[in-house]
Amino acid sequence: MVRRILGFAISKMLCQDGWAEKYNPKNQFHVNQYDYSTCKEYLAALKEKWQVYEDPECELEGCVDVSKYSN
């Protein structure tokens, strides 16, 4: 039973590490992948941090629909 729980936890952490490696390999936005249970939540947090980084005054909000792009 304990082995199964540990195996699940380790596989989940490896999956989360995969998200970080794929979408934020340089950890540019300082978003901890372990704080999110799904890739969708992690990407939403990255998007929010990116928007603050690129446009701190929110001047460009609404100009580009970033949901149309995969990266």
Side-chain angles (χ1 to χ4, degrees), residues 10-22 33-34:
I10 290 170
S11 67
K12 184 174 180 179
M13 288 177 70
L14 288 173
C15 185
Q16 291 168 320
D17 288 342
W19 304 339
E21 185 63 34
K22 182 175 182 180
Q33 70 269 23
Y34 302 119

Side-chain angles (χ1 to χ4, degrees), residues 39-64:
C39 185
K40 188 174 183 178
E41 292 173 353
Y42 177 68
L43 290 175
L46 281 177
K47 178 182 171 185
E48 183 179 316
K49 289 283 188 167
W50 174 80
Q51 286 177 334
V52 169
Y53 175 78
E54 286 296 319
D55 186 23
E57 302 297 323
C58 296
E59 294 172 352
L60 301 176
E61 193 169 322
C63 292
V64 175

